[in-house]
Amino acid sequence: MQTLTKEKVNEEALKALEVAEEAREKEWVYPSFVAELFQGRLRWDLILPFPEQSEEDRRIGDEFLAKVEKFLKANIDPDEVDRTGEIPPHAIKGLAELGCFALKIPKEYGGMGFSQVNYNRILQLVGGYCASTGVWLSAHQSIGVPQPLILFGTEEQKRKYLPRFRKGDISAFALTEPDVGSDPAKMKTTAAPIEGGSYYLLNGEKLWCTNGPVANVMVVMAQTPPKVVKGKEKKQITAFIVEKTMPGVEVVHRCQFMGLHGIQNGLLRFKNVKVPRENILWKEGYGLKLALVTLNTGRLTMPAGVTGGAKWCLSIVRQWANEREQWGGPIGKHEAVATKIAAMAATTYAMESMHLVTAAMADSKKTDIRLEAAMAKLFCTEASWRIIDGTIQIRGGRGYETAASLKARGEKPWGVERLMRDARINTIIEGTSQIMRLFIAREALDSHVQKIFPILDPKKPLFTRLVLALKAAGYYATWYPSQWIHGNGVPKGASIPAALKPHMNYVDQTAHRLARELFLAMAIHQQGLEKRQQLLTRIVNIGTALFAMAITCSRTLSLLSKNPSDSSAMELADLFCRQSKGRIERQFHSLFKNDDRFAYRVAQETLKGKYRWLEKGIIEPL
Ligand SMILES: Cc1cc2nc3c(=O)[nH]c(=O)nc-3n(C[C@H](O)[C@H](O)[C@H](O)COP(=O)(O)OP(=O)(O)OC[C@H]3O[C@@H](n4cnc5c(N)ncnc54)[C@H](O)[C@@H]3O)c2cc1C
C-alpha cells in the first residue's frame, strides 16, 4: 500500500472536500424546519398542524396496502428467503404485476403515481415483513433509475424508460467502488468521450450494487474529462443511464452478506461500454450532485422500512412479555423488562411520526427536506437497532435462535435474529451514520459559514473582508441577543394539552440554546470546527432529538384532535419527550467538557501499535 505523507493526506482531504462542496445543493429555495431550528428559530408553522395525508390519498394507499399484504403472505416466506438466498421469481413477477416497481412513477408514464406518504407506507409494510424484498423495491425506485430520472431526466428519457418499470424492468444505482465509499472524489470509473462526443466509453468497476446482478438498466456515476474553471482543473462526475444489454457490462460476482440474503447485490465491471450521449442524466459534471439530491428523497424509504421492523418487534415483545413467566410472573411485570418495552413503544411512535412527516413534507413541496430526511434516516436506523437488540434480550435464548429451529421445536417462528442480521447494514448504506452527522452539521452551520468564513479568507482583499466583517457584526449584534429571549414555546392560538406543553416549551428554549452553542463552537474553532467531529456529533444529536420531539408532539396534537378521548398517543409522546430530554442534557453536558482529545490520542497510539501487547493471546487475523 502506498504510504501517504502528511502533506499528501492534507492535499487529498482538501480535494475530497472541494468535490463534496462543489456537489452540495447550495440553494435554500424553500424553508426547512431543521435548518431554522439550528438558527434558533422554531418554525412551528411548518409542522403544525401535522402534515396529514388527504382522505382520498389514504384510501388509495389503504386499498393498495391490502393487496400487497395479501400477496406477500401468499408468496413470500421471509425465513425461506433468508435460508435459500432467493426471492422466488414468481414473487418478483407478481410484485411487478401489482405495480410495486413503479410505485412513484407518475401515471402519465404508466406508473402507479403514488404519493411519497403512500410509498413510505408500502415500504413500511414490505420492509417490516421481509427486509430483502423491501431492499429490492427500494434500491430500484428510491435510488435506482426512476428517482433521478423523474427529478432530472429529459422528457424523451422519461418517455423511453419510465413505462418499462411498470412492465417489470428493474434498475440499480452504481456509485460505490472498491476504493470509493463515503468519499466519491477518488472515483476511478471513467467515461471518455469518443466520436466527437456522441458516445462515451465507460470503463471501471462498481461494488455492492444492489439489484446490479438482475437490473436491466442502471444509473452509473463516472468521471468525465476535467474542466478548467478560473484557471483551476475541476473534476467532473457524470451520471449515465446504462443498459445491461450494452456490450461490455459484466456481473463479476454476486456478494453475500450477514443478512439480507435475498437481495441481489454485485460487483459490476464495465469494459469499453459504448454509451450514447443522450443517456447522460441531467448534465455533464452534475453526476455527484445528482447522486446526492437523489439520496435526499431516496433516503426517506429507509426510515419507513426500519419502522416496519420496529413495529414487528413491538408486536412480538407485547405477546412474549405477557405469556412468558419467570420468577413468579410474566417477564413484562419485571421493571427491567418493562422499562425496555416502554422505551420501544415510545420510540416506535416517534420513528413513525418522523418518516410520515418527512414523506408528507416531500409531497407538499413547500419545504426543503434534505436535513429532515437525513435526520429521519439517522434517527430511525439507530433507534431500530436498539429496538431489535432489546427484543432479542427480552426473548432471551429464543431471540438468538433461528425461526426454523424454533418452528422445528413447535414454537412460534419469530426470527428476530434474522431481523438483526438484516438490519445491521442500515446505519451504513445510503450514508453512514457518521457521514449523515457530518452532512447535517455542514448544513446546520451553513448560514454562519457564509457570513464568517469569507472574512477569514486571506485571499480576499482586506477592504472586502472589512466590509463583510461589519455586515456580519451588524447581523450578530441583533441575532445573538435574540437567542436569549425565548418565546413561550407554544404556538399562538394552539390549544396544547398540559402533558405536552412543557415539552414544546423545552424544544423552543433548547433550540435557542443549541443555536448559541453552535455559534460559540464556530467562534472558538472557526475553520477547524470541521475536524471536531465529536463536538459536531453532539450538536447534531441534540438537533435530531429536538426535531423528533417536535414532530412527535405535532402528530399527537393531530391524533388528539381527531379522537380527544384517546390519550394513548399522548402517553407515548410524553415518555418519548421525557427520555429525549435526558439524552439531550447529557449531550450538552459534554459539549465542551469531554475526553475527546485524549481519546483521539489513544486511538492514534492504538493505530501506531503502542498497545499491541493487548492483542496477544489470540490467533491474529491476517
Ligand atoms: C448491502 C449493501 C448494499 C449497498 N448498495 C449500494 C448500492 O446500491 N449502490 C451503491 O453505490 N453503493 C451501495 N452500497 C455501498 C454503501 O453505500 C457503502 O458501503 C457506504 O457508502 C459506505 O462506504 P464504505 O463501505 O466504503 O465505507 P468507508 O467510506 O470506507 O467508511 C468506513 C468507515 O469510516 C467512516 N468514515 C468514512 N469517512 C469518514 C469521515 N470523513 N469522518 C468520519 N467517519 C468517516 C464511515 O462512517 C465508516 O464507519 C451498498 C453496500 C452494502 C454493504
Side-chain angles (χ1 to χ4, degrees), residues 135 139 143 172-183 206-212 221 257 259-260 263 265 425 427-436 438 533:
V135 171
I143 57 175
F173 172 88
L175 175 66
T176 306
E177 297 178 8
D179 289 333
V180 177
S182 317
D183 161 21
K206 292 288 175 184
L207 183 61
W208 296 324
C209 182
T210 305
N211 287 351
M221 264 51 76
F257 301 103
L260 294 179
I263 66 168
N265 177 298
I425 192 60
T427 54
I428 296 173
I429 45 175
E430 294 181 17
T432 67
S433 284
Q434 289 76 20
I435 298 298
M436 283 295 87
L438 294 180
Q533 293 190 344

Side-chain angles (χ1 to χ4, degrees), residues 282-484:
W282 205 357
K283 286 192 261 185
E284 204 175 322
Y286 277 61
L288 194 55
K289 196 164 189 170
L290 172 138
L292 299 182
V293 178
T294 298
L295 279 166
N296 280 343
T297 331
R299 254 185 217 118
L300 292 176
T301 359
M302 199 177 288
V306 298
T307 302
K311 283 172 175 255
W312 192 70
C313 284
L314 194 60
S315 176
I316 286 176
V317 159
R318 178 183 47 75
Q319 297 176 61
W320 180 246
N322 269 318
E323 85 190 34
R324 176 70 171 172
E325 295 198 357
Q326 293 290 291
W327 302 88
I331 55 170
K333 295 277 181 204
H334 301 310
E335 198 179 30
V337 175
T339 311
K340 275 196 196 335
I341 296 170
M344 277 183 200
T347 309
T348 304
Y349 177 58
M351 287 165 72
E352 186 173 59
S353 309
M354 219 147 163
H355 90 76
L356 285 178
V357 86
T358 40
M361 282 173 166
D363 282 332
S364 80
K365 296 189 174 60
K366 286 187 196 134
T367 50
D368 191 306
I369 56 142
R370 75 190 94 153
L371 287 174
E372 287 73 2
M375 280 188 171
K377 195 270 179 187
L378 177 66
F379 175 83
C380 292
T381 53
E382 293 194 342
S384 112
W385 182 249
R386 289 193 299 273
I387 288 174
I388 296 167
D389 187 48
T391 307
I392 293 205
Q393 195 66 21
I394 292 172
R395 282 280 283 156
R398 287 165 179 82
Y400 195 63
E401 192 173 0
T402 66
S405 175
L406 287 162
K407 194 174 175 186
R409 298 196 292 105
E411 291 210 25
K412 284 192 179 129
W414 291 331
V416 189
E417 63 81 34
R418 168 179 58 78
L419 185 62
M420 179 172 246
R421 287 186 286 105
D422 286 348
R424 184 59 191 88
I425 192 60
N426 294 329
T427 54
I428 296 173
I429 45 175
E430 294 181 17
T432 67
S433 284
Q434 289 76 20
I435 298 298
M436 283 295 87
R437 287 194 170 89
L438 294 180
F439 165 74
I440 295 165
R442 171 65 189 88
E443 299 306 333
L445 286 165
D446 192 46
S447 144
H448 298 310
V449 167
Q450 284 185 30
K451 288 183 191 73
I452 296 173
F453 278 15
I455 306 169
L456 305 171
D457 184 356
K459 284 188 223 134
K460 284 208 176 344
L462 190 64
F463 181 72
T464 314
R465 288 166 64 193
L466 265 172
V467 171
L468 290 171
L470 279 172
K471 247 173 115 179
Y475 172 79
Y476 286 110
T478 49
W479 178 82
Y480 191 75
S482 76
Q483 294 311 312
W484 292 91

Side-chain angles (χ1 to χ4, degrees), residues 162-180:
L162 290 177
R164 281 171 48 178
F165 302 121
R166 181 66 184 88
K167 293 181 191 134
D169 266 17
I170 291 170
S171 77
F173 172 88
L175 175 66
T176 306
E177 297 178 8
D179 289 333
V180 177

